[in-house]
Amino acid sequence: MENHCGLVTLQKEPVPLKGIAVDVSVQGHVATVSSILQYENQEESPLEAVFVFPLPGEAAVCRFSAKIGQTEVVGEVQEKQKAQELYDDALSSGQQAFLLEESSESPDVFSLSVGSLPPGEKASISLDYVTELAVQADDGLRLCLPAVLNPRYKPQGPDSAAGTQVSSVPAGSVPYSLSLRAHVTSPHPISKVESNCPLEPLNYLNTERTQATVSLAAGHKFERDIELLVYYQDAHKPTAIVEAPQTSAKPGTLMGDPVIMLSLYPEFPKRGMSSMTSRGEFIFLVDRSGSMGCKIHSGPGAQNRIGSARDTLLLLLKSLPMGCYFNIIGFGSSHEMFFPKSVEYNQKTMDEALQKVKGMSADLGGTEILQPLKYVYSQPCLPDHPRQIFLFTDGEVWNTKEVLDLVKMNSGSHRLFSFGIGEGASSALISGMAKQGGGHAQFITGQDRMQPKVMQSLRFALQPAVVDISVNWNVPKGVSVTPLSPPIRVVFQGQRALLYAQLTGESPGDTKGSVTVKYSLAEKPVENQLSFSLKPAVDTGLTVHRLGAQTLIRSLEMEERERDGDEKIEGVKEKVVELSVQSGVSSAFTAFIAVHKGDGKAVQGPLFHRQVPTPMMYRGSGMMARSFGYSSGITFHKAAPKKMGVLRSAPSWRSREMAPPRSIGCSIASSGWLARGRAGRMDVEHQADHTSLVEFQSPVPLPTPEKEPLLQLISLQKASGSWILEPSLAEVLGKPQEDVAKSMPAQVNQEVWATVLALVWLYGFKIEAQEEWQFLAIKAVSWIKAQNVANVSECVLAGNNLLGCQVQMDTMGL
C-alpha cells in the first residue's frame, strides 16, 4: 500500500505552495491579519497553481500583492469579469498573473490562482484582511483563522454543478507549513491570550500590560482551525474610535472622510430583568447529516457531534419554562419533525420528546439547511409566543447566501440562534444566520462544551424583547453623520454591538459628539449614551474605514439579491463595485488582479494546472488510501500538452465546477466523487460504489463514557421543576437510598425534600457549571415556593448535613 509523503499532490506531482506565515495585529475589538504564501515551481514546465481556502465570513480582504525576485506587483480591485479576462489574457500571452476572488456562493471561501510561474521560479503572495472579533460567553474576544475547508454540501438540482473545486488531503498531512505571530494592543490591560493550539508564552511589551505578543508553537499540523481568545480587563466599557481619512482620497467619499466605530454594551435596568418569561415558541433545528456522527475534536474521550447535540437537547428541554411551546426538527437531505406542529410544554410532551431525542442519530445524509428553514417559516406563528429558533449544524453548505437571504426575508417573525459544531464550520453561515435572524452565534470547537454556550443563548432568548430601537447622533453644527451599518434590530443585555458611520464636514469649535441608543423594554423606555471625541486617532491603518466599507458592501450585496429587475440590480451592483474599488475591499462582484510582465519576454512551454491540496478534517480514524496516498476521493486525468494558453481552462470560478458530496458517513470517501476533464477542469459525477476509492482500518473503539452525574440529575427533573425521591436520585447524590429517606425532616413532602436535595447538590458540587443548570434551579425554586412549605429552612439544613455542604438559603433564592 503506497503512502506518498512530502511535497506531492495526489498524483505525486510537486505542490507549489511551500509555507504560510501569518502576522496578526489585534487592536481592541478588531484585527488585521497578514498572510504570506510562499510558492515555488519545481517542475520542468510553466505552472498554474490554484489554492481554494477559507477566510472568516466577516473578513474584509483589503490588500493583495505578489513578489517575484525583488519585484513586487500590487494587486488592484477590478470588476470580477474584467479581472478574470485580464488574468486569462496575461496567461495567454505568457505573462505571470495572480488572481484572488471570492466564491459566488459563500463569502468565506476564496480562490487564489498563481499563473504562469516559470520552472525554478519562486513567488511570495501577500494577502491582508481585517475582521471584527466576536465576543464569547466568558467575555473573551475570538479570532478564528480557518485552516480547514471541508467539502460543502449543496442540494442536487439544476444549479448543483456551480461551485468551486476543492482538492483536500487529511488534516495534519498538508505538505506545507504554517507559522503565526500575534501583536495585541488595547486601551485596557490584557489579562491573557488562550488558544486551541499550543502557544509560546505571552510576552508583555509594557508595564501597563496594554501591549503583548504571542506566537503559535512550532509544528502546527492543520488538524484544526486556529482560534485565539483575547481577554481584557474592563472589556465591557463602551468605546469609540474616530479614524482619520486616507490622505490621497477625495473629501466627501468614504475613504476621504473620518469614520467612527462605536462599541456599545447596552445595560438593561433591573426592573426589566426581574423575571423569566414563560412565553415563547422554541424550535430546535438539529443537523442529522452523516458528518454529525464524527468526533467534535481529535483528543481522547471526544464525544461525537450528534451525541453532544442529544445531551444539549436534554438540557434545553429541561430548562424551558412551563407554558411555552416547542418542537424539534432533525434535518439532513430531508427533515423530520418530532410533532406535526409546536406543542405546549408539559410533562407529557417533554417525556415524549426526550424519548425521541435518545433515538436521534446522524442518519439523514447531506446537510440541507434551506428546506427545513422554509418549512419552519411556512408555519403560522403562535399569538403571544415569540418564535425562537435554535439551529445546530457543522455548517458545511455551499448555498450560504441563499440561506442568509431566506433568514433575512423572515427576520420579522423570529429570532435565530446558531451553533457551529466542529472544525471547518462556515463562519459566514453560522454568524450570518444569527445576524440576519436577530440572534446570537456560537462556535463549539476543540475541547469546548456545547452546553454552557447554548445556555447563554437561551438566556438571551428568554430576555424580554427589546423593541422600538433607535440610534440618535448628536454632533456639532457643520458635521453630518452617514451610518454605514444597518439599523440595530436586536439588543441583548451586556452584548456588544458595533456601529460604523462616516463623518462629513468640520466644526470650527466643538470637538465632542455623542450617540444615544433608545429602546423600549417591558413597555418602559430605556436609553444608553456614549460620548466621544471627534479628533481622529492616529496610525490606525484604515482598519475602521475598511470594516465600515465591508459592512456597507455586505448590506448592498444582500439588497442586490433581493431586488427584481435588471435595471435595479445593476444600479446596486455598480454601487458595490464602486465602493469596493474605492476602498480596496473585495466583494462578490470584484476580484484582485496582479500582472507581472517581468523582462517583457513571454513564458514559453505548455502550462500545467496544479490544485493545491487543502487541509480537511477526515472524520474516520485510521483511514488509508488504497492507491493515491493522501486521497480526497478525487482523481485527476492530465491532458496531453497543447500550446500555451489553450491547455489550461480559465482558472476562474466559472470554469471550476464542483458537485459537493451527499455526505453519508464520516469519511470523504462517502462523497463518492470522480473527476475527469482537461487540465484541471472538473466534470464531476456521483459514484454508487464508494468503497472502490478508499478503504478503512476500523478505529480502536473508545470506552463508552459513563453518564455525567450532572446530566443524570438533569434527566431526572420534572417539567414543573421538581424532582421525586427515587433510587436514581440517591445514586447521583452518592448516598444510600435508606440514608436519604431517613434524613428527611418530619412532615415534609417527599417531592419537596428531593427537590431541595437536588438544589443543595447543584450549589454544593456543581457551582462551576451554574451557567448550564441555572434555569433548572430557577424552575425548582419557583416550584418549591408554590408549595407553601413551612419548614424549608429545616429541609436545607438537613440537606446540607446529609451531603456535607454549607449552602445558604439566600444563595439558592429560597
Side-chain angles (χ1 to χ4, degrees), residues 464-532:
V466 171
V467 295
D468 301 330
I469 304 169
S470 65
V471 177
N472 300 308
W473 297 85
N474 180 23
V475 291
K477 192 174 181 180
V479 178
S480 61
V481 178
T482 305
L484 303 174
S485 303
I488 297 179
R489 297 193 353 261
V490 62
V491 174
F492 294 123
Q493 163 70 20
Q495 190 64 25
R496 185 197 66 188
L498 284 181
L499 292 180
Y500 300 92
Q502 178 181 346
L503 303 175
T504 306
E506 290 185 15
S507 170
D510 196 357
T511 58
K512 293 286 185 183
S514 67
V515 63
T516 304
V517 180
K518 296 181 179 180
Y519 48 89
S520 180
L521 175 70
E523 300 183 350
K524 303 270 174 130
V526 182
E527 65 177 60
N528 298 137
Q529 189 176 67
L530 173 65
S531 298
F532 54 86

Side-chain angles (χ1 to χ4, degrees), residues 10-11 628 632-637 673-677 682 693:
L10 306 179
Q11 289 69 46
F628 304 141
S632 69
I634 303 175
T635 172
F636 292 72
H637 300 268
W673 298 348
L674 264 185
R676 299 188 181 89
M682 311 305 295
L693 289 175

Side-chain angles (χ1 to χ4, degrees), residues 177-199:
S177 61
L178 182 143
S179 62
L180 180 143
R181 182 177 180 272
H183 184 281
V184 185
T185 304
S186 169
H188 309 295
I190 302 160
S191 303
K192 59 181 177 178
V193 177
E194 295 179 345
S195 177
N196 61 335
C197 301
L199 294 176

Side-chain angles (χ1 to χ4, degrees), residues 141-144 180 182 193-195 199 226-230:
L141 295 172
R142 178 181 185 265
L143 171 67
C144 180
L180 180 143
V193 177
E194 295 179 345
S195 177
L199 294 176
I226 300 170
E227 187 177 69
L228 289 180
L229 292 168
V230 182

